[in-house]
Amino acid sequence: MRVLVTGGAGYIGSVTAALLLERGYAVTVLDDLRSGHRDLIPDDAHFVEANVGEPVAYADALAGHDACLHFAASAEAGLSMQRPEAFYANNTAATLRLLQALVNAGIERFVLSSTCAVYGQPERVPISEDEPKEPANAYGHSKLLIEQALPWLGELRGLRYAALRYFNAAGATERRGEDHAVETHLIPLVLQVAEGRRAEIDVYGTDYPTRDGTCVRDYIHVADLAEAHVLALERLDEHERIVCNLGTGSGFTVCEVIEAARQLTGHAIPAHEAPRRAGDPATLVAAAGRAHALLGWTPRRSDLEELVGSAWRWQQQRSARRV
């Protein structure tokens, strides 16, 4: 099977592209390298440098492909509230143009990298797939709009699809990890303090109704996420439509992540208590049963030591190569 991986020069996309190749798939990576990194693209993947929103530039490259795994997107929730029009352009409009190109090329399988941000402020935790979809930011809404379009493409165009709503991606493989120009995720930010690239880590809110007063998040190792995407692609042989959360069903507090990083790195990692950020829920944890039932997927690497330790090892290697 030939698989197109959009955003395959990015964090989750590159790890998934490498796993697909390992499993015997032929892979084409489509990425414009605005936020991706050429050196993260697997050596055996065919690479097309193009923007998914400009299908004229890659229409010929679609020939012969059987499926598309779509990771290319803007993902910073906070920034989406400052530049909503950019997120709708990149995440919604560009994805719709990609979908039209896929349909025109006869590609009948599509796996969407979606997000728990489609739920907004949850009414119940753990969060099931049946919870109301009321995004609290433009990022979540830009993804939800694509989820709402997919059933029509399934019914009217025969598209078999999976929408995977994942929670907090973290960790690294030996060769690939998280490297954003503007970092917003907790674990890499904490590790940047350990490396001396930041003076301290801000802790936004210490008075939440959690076990230590800081927010709880459901972290999933990037290699576990990649496994889920490959399983979803394969399960589209049996299911026309798959919609499920990707999470562990449990979570770690901000303070627990910081303390784990202190223990693993041997650095003090000063923390600064800051006010709560508007819109931050106390706890975001997935109900993960549907992914296990439909995909046969169980996270295997998502304990805190592996999440933080693998990210630390990769970040040190990345920094050493830049010297």
Side-chain angles (χ1 to χ4, degrees):
M1 181 183 289
R2 295 185 63 187
V3 182
L4 177 73
V5 179
T6 72
Y11 176 38
I12 305 170
S14 66
V15 175
T16 306
L19 181 60
L20 285 164
L21 287 163
E22 181 183 316
R23 298 284 171 84
Y25 291 90
V27 173
T28 297
V29 166
L30 176 68
D31 200 300
D32 62 9
L33 299 180
R34 284 187 298 175
S35 57
H37 304 274
R38 188 181 291 270
D39 66 321
L40 295 184
I41 301 170
D43 294 338
D44 293 335
H46 176 61
F47 176 51
V48 176
E49 186 172 351
N51 186 300
V52 296
E54 301 172 358
V56 171
Y58 61 83
D60 292 344
L62 297 180
H65 285 81
D66 305 288
C68 173
L69 274 60
H70 180 43
F71 297 94
S74 301
E76 301 85 356
L79 183 60
S80 77
M81 299 302 283
Q82 301 171 28
R83 302 178 56 204
E85 63 285 344
F87 277 70
Y88 288 115
N90 197 36
N91 294 357
T92 309
T95 300
L96 291 173
R97 287 192 285 271
L98 168 68
L99 285 165
Q100 183 175 17
L102 297 177
V103 169
N104 290 343
I107 297 174
E108 298 180 347
R109 292 175 176 81
F110 180 73
V111 180
L112 173 68
S113 168
S114 192
T115 170
C116 66
V118 301
Y119 298 112
Q121 295 277 357
E123 295 180 2
R124 287 172 290 272
V125 176
I127 304 167
S128 79
E129 291 84 355
D130 298 324
E131 284 295 301
K133 312 319 179 280
E134 298 176 354
N137 50 60
Y139 165 61
H141 190 228
S142 71
K143 290 284 194 173
L144 180 59
L145 289 169
I146 298 302
E147 283 200 29
Q148 292 172 332
L150 287 174
W152 291 107
L153 291 172
E155 181 177 341
L156 302 175
R157 294 292 181 263
L159 186 71
R160 307 175 79 93
Y161 68 85
L164 305 180
R165 299 170 182 157
Y166 40 87
F167 283 60
N168 289 54
T173 64
E174 184 177 348
R175 294 189 58 187
R176 295 172 179 85
E178 204 163 0
D179 188 6
H180 302 122
V182 178
E183 190 53 72
T184 60
H185 295 162
L186 177 62
I187 290 177
L189 287 174
V190 169
L191 296 179
Q192 287 177 11
V193 178
E195 274 195 321
R197 294 162 59 189
R198 293 177 181 269
E200 59 188 9
I201 184 69
D202 288 324
V203 179
Y204 296 103
T206 58
D207 58 348
Y208 286 96
T210 62
R211 50 188 173 268
D212 61 23
T214 61
C215 290
V216 174
R217 295 294 182 264
D218 191 337
Y219 294 92
I220 318 97
H221 196 285
V222 64
D224 285 335
L225 283 176
E227 180 74 31
H229 283 78
V230 176
L231 287 170
L233 174 62
E234 293 170 349
R235 295 301 185 270
L236 287 177
D237 287 339
E238 309 162 23
H239 304 282
E240 294 180 358
R241 306 176 187 185
I242 297 170
V243 178
C244 61
N245 294 332
L246 296 183
T248 66
S250 61
F252 303 107
T253 70
V254 172
C255 285
E256 287 168 347
V257 171
I258 295 171
E259 184 57 32
R262 288 171 177 152
Q263 295 298 319
L264 284 161
T265 66
H267 292 264
I269 309 182
H272 170 253
E273 292 187 12
R276 291 187 183 191
R277 294 181 297 193
D280 266 356
T283 302
L284 289 177
V285 171
R290 186 182 292 183
H292 180 72
L294 290 180
L295 308 181
W297 177 75
T298 301
R300 296 183 291 113
R301 309 167 183 88
S302 294
D303 62 278
L304 192 50
E305 183 175 348
E306 176 62 18
L307 289 164
V308 177
S310 63
W312 176 238
R313 292 188 294 273
W314 186 82
Q315 188 166 299
Q316 288 186 300
Q317 294 169 3
R318 190 76 163 173
S319 296
R321 289 196 295 269
R322 287 171 169 163
V323 172

